[in-house]
Amino acid sequence: MDYSTSDDFLIYQNRNFQMIDYLLNQGYVETQSKVLDLGCGEGNIAQSFSDRDFDVTGVELSESARKILDQRGLVNYFRNSGNSS
């Protein structure tokens, strides 16, 4: 099943849009601002901002989640340096 068409996804997407509308209405962000989503997981909130024409960058440590970010076209600047320190 494609998660992006599930009822759960649509509920969360609607909630995300409500949050974005609140931030815009309160003057906390301006339309088409840059948004940095740290620990963005699979990028659901980042995608909602992107859908509203914000310039979004997602950062995620999980390799499996980063693959989904790449599929969605969301930028992820995390790179594993290979250092354990």
Side-chain angles (χ1 to χ4, degrees), residues 3-14 44 72:
Y3 177 70
S4 66
T5 60
S6 72
D7 289 339
D8 287 342
F9 176 81
L10 297 176
I11 289 169
Y12 288 119
Q13 184 182 45
N14 186 46
N44 295 325
R72 289 181 167 184

Side-chain angles (χ1 to χ4, degrees), residues 8-38:
D8 287 342
F9 176 81
L10 297 176
I11 289 169
Y12 288 119
Q13 184 182 45
N14 186 46
R15 182 206 61 193
N16 293 343
F17 287 150
Q18 289 174 346
M19 174 190 63
I20 294 167
D21 289 341
Y22 174 80
L23 294 172
L24 287 167
N25 291 334
Q26 294 299 314
Y28 295 129
V29 295
E30 296 178 10
T31 304
Q32 298 180 338
S33 298
K34 292 184 178 187
V35 174
L36 176 61
D37 189 353
L38 297 174

